[in-house]
Amino acid sequence: MNSETRILMCPPNHYDVDYVINPWMEGNIHKSSRERATEQWHKLFHIIKEHALVELVDPQPGWPDMVFTANAGLVLGKKVVLSRFFHKERQGEEPYFKQWFEAQGYTVYELPKDLPFEGAGDALLDREGRWLWAGYGFRSELDSHSYIAKWLDIQVISLQLADERFYHLDTCFCPLNRGYLLYYPPAFDFYSNRIIEMRVPPEKRIAIGEADAVNFACNAVNVDDKVIMNKVSDDLKQRLKNVGFEVFETTLSEFLKAGGAAKCLTLRTTEPVKEDVHANEPVESRTIRLEGHLLDTGLINRALDTIVEGGGSFQVLNFNLGEQRQSTSTAEVKVSAPSHGVMEEILAQLIDLGAVDLPQDERDAQLEPVQQNGVAPDDFYVTTIYPTEVRIKGEWVRVLNHRMDGAIAVVQTPQGPVARCKLLRDLELGESVVVDVAGIRTVRKMGAREQRSNQEFSFMSSGVSSERRVELVVEQVAWELRQIRDRGGKVVVTAGPVVIHTGGGEHLTRLIREGYVQGLLGGNAIAVHDMEQAFMGTSLGVDMKRGVAVRGGHRHHLKTINTIRRYGSIAKAVEQGALQSGIFYECVKHNVPFALAGSIRDDGPLPDTQMDLIKAQEEYAKLLEGAEMILMLSTMLHSIGVGNMTPSGVKMVCVDINPAVVTKLSDRGSVESTGVVTDVGLFLSLLTKHLDLLTSPYHAA
Ligand code: ARG
């Protein structure tokens, strides 16, 4: 016996599965046998007694899970952090454990109410005593880790649990002697796995499979080189033997029904304190403020979900509910994250949702100089579609030329600092770039109210429409198009060749002729197909009237390209009377600018096609300036390109027969994009029909 090791257990006199607070208990209420449980518990007790000094706490009626003493608290030296159970079903155990610890002379630390932490079930010391591994995600709250670090003066490493079957850290993670680690990697999120891999070298990691994991193989008691566990696979036993551990198996099936095994049934109360080990600040916290129609728009839910999904935790410090229908609500939320990196990721997303620093800890944006043309400093803030402001010397400065996926470049001018959104490739020496996430806010008009006053469009904002709703959506788009045209606004269309194949060409031609389109974007293909149809009545050699392939028709395509090349450009072909109809004919005739962006698969290309993609992006961006609405007609590539260049506030209507494309394009996390899953030819034909029905007068320029 190793009398240096003392272990606390609780006899199973009142053990039962009485309720369900973890997935293992489901279907097992009152299904465990007290007799068998007692027998299994005693076997475990005897094995442990061979290797350690076992102490007992009195079982209490009405608290069936008290056998799981791992959850009594977390001991280090003569200090103990008492558990605060997450579920009320176990909270009644707290005073009994507290009594026991006090009677033994421990200093007992108690966490604030409503800050759950489930003791050694969720906190495991590295067996060399170098640090404490602490779990969160199901039972213990991340914020408890700061208290533990401070009280026990130890470095805490936070690990997020990701599989509800492994709701306590000790169900999937078991530090062993000599720096070994027995664990089940899929129970942790990606980030936590990285942390584990950074701390434990590969030759010390004993990763187990699901079959052993669900037998609670990680829920093992380790004393020196002895490992006591429920029945496990021969393979795992062999692996443990190979690295010098002696395995003691003992069946604990009755306790598995409550979601526990060997380790859960024990609490090591002699954990030595290392003199040279001290606390870190494991958890970073920031307080943010959200304002808006937080409930109506579901914003508060989204914000809180973002925090938790991102690996953080939160505390709502206060929430002021707007009293009138028109009034907005505000919330102050304390966000905690296990590291600065995680905090940054979470905050970037919260900023995206419109969150700002609380005024009292508002900070200036952090700036770092550009060290190399076309390259941002690491850690640069990536812009989103929302208009953004950065705080420089206490003042909020609006970011100019806003678009998503850029960096924010700041230059000092005699008139004060100027912040501009720039693509990485355009960054220049002499500029500074905003890094980290401090001092940045997005400006959003997020109003349930505003949406309501704009009913026509808000209905469309629900995302992807089914065929049944196409007609209604088209009616709304028609109405909007007419309004924009009549007030002299700007609509840009991005179109793919499918528009021609599906017979939409004539309708798009009409939209341009009648002044509904102020800019056209596409690739080489749409122009070639459109003109092939104008010249020869076919598209890629298919007769568009009869829908059949024309003999030798595939050459029509190349002949079209050749013709335009002879004239020098589309515009010249129109001027000289060679091109007399179609989409591009109308563009030239009505001075509607267009930009054609090339790609690797282009035939020709047409002289108008811009094969320098950086220039093509610039041409696109130029034509998009000031657009109020963008119609994206069956071209995923060009539409994504366009979407990336467009700041929020522009309505986008995306039409494609492929729902995946529509979903991808209309997912801007905003109310501004509408997806229509339908044949684009049909859409355009319906659209012109609805425009005809609108009666407001139109005076052609
Ligand atoms: N039924 C108990 C619960 O859900 C089981 C506790 C197991 N303990 C442990 N340290 N994993 O809380």
Side-chain angles (χ1 to χ4, degrees):
M1 186 187 75
N2 176 350
S3 56
E4 278 162 38
T5 306
R6 289 147 73 110
I7 285 179
L8 177 68
M9 292 181 72
C10 174
N13 305 22
H14 306 292
Y15 171 68
D16 196 359
V17 180
D18 260 359
Y19 42 75
V20 176
I21 56 171
N22 69 48
W24 307 95
M25 299 174 100
E26 251 164 68
N28 275 328
I29 289 195
H30 305 313
K31 292 266 168 65
S32 77
S33 135
R34 174 85 44 82
E35 205 181 316
R36 239 175 304 140
T38 307
E39 191 188 312
Q40 292 177 353
W41 185 90
H42 277 280
K43 279 199 182 135
L44 176 70
F45 172 78
H46 286 293
I47 299 174
I48 295 178
K49 249 176 49 172
E50 302 276 304
H51 312 291
L53 189 94
V54 181
E55 293 167 302
L56 295 177
V57 54
D58 286 338
Q60 299 295 332
W63 304 108
D65 272 337
M66 209 176 150
V67 280
F68 299 113
T69 50
N71 301 121
L74 171 69
V75 178
L76 182 62
K78 272 325 244 182
K79 295 177 186 171
V80 60
V81 179
L82 196 68
S83 283
R84 271 220 187 275
F85 286 94
F86 180 81
H87 293 288
K88 64 175 179 341
E89 284 85 346
R90 295 197 63 182
Q91 286 164 1
E93 301 171 30
E94 292 165 15
Y96 300 108
F97 286 129
K98 182 177 175 185
Q99 236 169 38
W100 188 87
F101 288 123
E102 281 175 346
Q104 305 293 314
Y106 288 93
T107 310
V108 178
Y109 292 86
E110 288 180 84
L111 288 155
K113 290 241 176 316
D114 297 323
L115 189 57
F117 166 66
E118 299 203 347
D122 259 337
L124 297 160
L125 278 152
D126 163 60
R127 299 275 13 110
E128 319 276 279
R130 296 168 293 183
W131 54 72
L132 180 78
W133 300 99
Y136 69 102
F138 294 106
R139 299 291 184 85
S140 300
E141 191 61 50
L142 179 61
D143 277 328
S144 65
H145 297 180
S146 309
Y147 288 88
I148 296 165
K150 189 173 66 186
W151 289 334
L152 303 184
D153 191 21
I154 188 162
Q155 183 181 5
V156 175
I157 298 163
S158 305
L159 299 176
Q160 188 179 24
L161 297 166
D163 180 335
E164 58 169 359
R165 293 172 302 171
F166 305 102
Y167 57 94
H168 276 143
L169 184 63
D170 69 359
T171 61
C172 51
F173 192 89
C174 183
L176 300 174
N177 257 25
R178 295 178 276 118
Y180 281 94
L181 172 68
L182 182 66
Y183 78 126
Y184 178 55
F188 299 91
D189 73 342
F190 173 82
Y191 184 80
S192 299
N193 269 299
R194 283 288 90 77
I195 296 180
I196 296 168
E197 288 158 17
M198 273 157 53
R199 296 267 168 167
V200 186
E203 68 279 9
K204 297 274 180 178
R205 300 198 289 257
I206 307 172
I208 67 168
E210 189 173 13
D212 277 321
V214 297
N215 270 325
F216 276 64
C218 293
N219 200 249
V221 179
N222 171 223
V223 182
D224 301 329
D225 282 339
K226 310 191 168 61
V227 179
I228 305 155
M229 61 211 306
N230 183 43
K231 295 262 183 262
V232 293
S233 68
D234 290 339
D235 172 60
L236 178 56
K237 255 180 290 177
Q238 194 55 51
R239 285 169 70 198
L240 286 167
K241 264 183 211 147
N242 290 348
V243 291
F245 290 100
E246 190 184 349
V247 176
F248 296 80
E249 273 181 300
T250 183
T251 305
L252 291 162
S253 54
E254 291 311 307
F255 297 98
L256 255 54
K257 294 175 184 166
K263 161 68 174 56
C264 298
L265 293 165
T266 65
L267 176 71
R268 188 191 290 251
T269 54
T270 41
E271 297 281 18
V273 180
K274 286 254 164 133
E275 287 311 321
D276 52 340
V277 167
H278 296 288
N280 58 333
E281 180 43 81
V283 180
E284 187 173 317
S285 296
R286 286 280 290 274
T287 306
I288 53 131
R289 203 158 82 116
L290 283 163
E291 189 169 350
H293 298 286
L294 301 181
L295 293 181
D296 303 18
T297 57
L299 189 67
I300 189 79
N301 296 353
R302 248 181 301 146
L304 301 182
D305 286 350
T306 298
I307 298 170
V308 174
E309 280 158 21
S313 74
F314 63 81
Q315 199 183 341
V316 178
L317 300 178
N318 63 58
F319 189 96
N320 279 317
L321 185 59
E323 285 172 21
Q324 305 291 330
R325 210 166 75 92
Q326 301 300 324
S327 35
T328 54
S329 308
T330 54
E332 281 171 20
V333 180
K334 181 176 155 212
V335 184
S336 303
S339 74
H340 184 66
V342 173
M343 179 63 99
E344 248 184 64
E345 294 275 323
I346 294 174
L347 282 184
Q349 291 183 54
L350 291 175
I351 289 172
D352 215 11
L353 292 175
V356 290
D357 272 343
L358 199 65
Q360 64 251 32
D361 53 42
E362 243 181 31
R363 294 179 247 183
D364 277 349
Q366 241 168 281
L367 298 176
E368 259 178 48
V370 172
Q371 303 279 10
Q372 186 184 341
N373 284 331
V375 180
D378 281 345
D379 231 22
F380 69 99
Y381 174 77
V382 181
T383 57
T384 66
I385 59 170
Y386 301 105
T388 302
E389 294 180 346
V390 289
R391 194 171 181 273
I392 301 172
K393 299 211 183 81
E395 303 277 346
W396 287 101
V397 178
R398 184 63 169 253
V399 177
L400 306 174
N401 304 91
H402 198 74
R403 58 160 288 164
M404 71 183 269
D405 290 350
I408 300 173
V410 178
V411 285
Q412 302 297 336
T413 73
Q415 289 76 40
V418 174
R420 207 176 248 110
C421 184
K422 291 186 101 179
L423 294 175
L424 300 181
R425 63 178 183 238
D426 296 328
L427 292 171
E428 288 167 21
L429 288 165
E431 293 173 327
S432 292
V433 169
V434 175
V435 295
D436 208 284
V437 285
I440 303 169
R441 68 182 184 197
T442 58
V443 186
R444 312 235 304 192
K445 49 167 195 211
M446 51 177 51
R449 301 296 106 75
E450 280 154 49
Q451 284 168 41
R452 270 176 210 153
S453 63
N454 192 357
Q455 286 280 336
E456 321 85 50
F457 243 86
S458 61
F459 138 77
M460 291 167 47
S461 66
S462 41
V464 178
S465 321
S466 66
E467 287 288 348
R468 269 190 317 108
R469 298 178 71 188
V470 169
E471 184 98 23
L472 279 165
V473 174
V474 169
E475 200 180 312
Q476 292 169 351
V477 174
W479 166 244
E480 193 79 6
L481 276 179
R482 172 60 63 86
Q483 285 200 322
I484 296 176
R485 186 191 71 177
D486 289 356
R487 65 169 179 257
K490 183 170 183 181
V491 173
V492 175
V493 171
T494 166
V498 183
V499 169
I500 313 293
H501 302 319
T502 56
E506 56 173 301
H507 305 296
L508 182 52
T509 302
R510 236 193 94 185
L511 291 182
I512 297 168
R513 187 166 53 230
E514 294 181 5
Y516 289 105
V517 179
Q518 282 68 43
L520 179 65
L521 309 174
N524 192 61
I526 171 124
V528 179
H529 290 282
D530 169 57
M531 293 186 291
E532 178 188 333
Q533 206 193 342
F535 289 143
M536 287 165 266
T538 60
S539 173
L540 263 190
V542 173
D543 185 319
M544 290 303 292
K545 290 247 154 50
R546 296 182 299 140
V548 291
V550 175
R551 228 166 193 285
H554 68 277
R555 289 164 53 209
H556 292 184
H557 182 75
L558 291 166
K559 284 182 166 180
T560 301
I561 295 172
N562 194 47
T563 304
I564 299 300
R565 292 186 68 83
R566 175 170 309 120
Y567 285 99
S569 72
I570 297 175
K572 285 187 185 144
V574 173
E575 274 159 33
Q576 297 180 36
L579 181 63
Q580 296 180 350
S581 64
I583 297 170
F584 285 81
Y585 166 80
E586 298 294 347
C587 281
V588 175
K589 277 289 171 198
H590 293 89
N591 294 317
V592 172
F594 57 84
L596 302 178
S599 83
I600 191 79
R601 45 162 293 183
D602 286 342
D603 294 317
L606 293 167
D608 303 76
T609 302
Q610 180 53 265
M611 297 305 283
D612 178 335
L613 280 183
I614 292 185
K615 287 210 184 107
Q617 285 188 348
E618 283 164 9
E619 287 175 20
Y620 264 46
K622 195 129 186 277
L623 291 192
L624 285 164
E625 262 169 38
E628 289 168 67
M629 187 186 209
I630 301 173
L631 292 181
M632 301 173 156
L633 307 176
S634 284
T635 167
M636 181 166 80
L637 217 58
H638 296 279
S639 301
I640 292 175
V642 165
N644 291 348
M645 299 176 191
T646 309
S648 82
V650 182
K651 283 166 185 161
M652 291 187 185
V653 178
C654 168
V655 184
D656 205 295
I657 194 76
N658 181 349
V661 171
V662 171
T663 310
K664 189 172 169 73
L665 285 168
S666 35
D667 181 23
R668 305 240 303 172
S670 73
V671 294
E672 317 168 333
S673 60
T674 304
V676 190
V677 177
T678 191
D679 176 276
V680 68
L682 182 72
F683 174 86
L684 285 168
S685 121
L686 274 175
L687 185 60
T688 47
K689 222 178 275 162
H690 277 286
L691 283 168
D692 286 340
L693 294 175
L694 293 173
T695 51
S696 77
Y698 167 60
H699 307 288

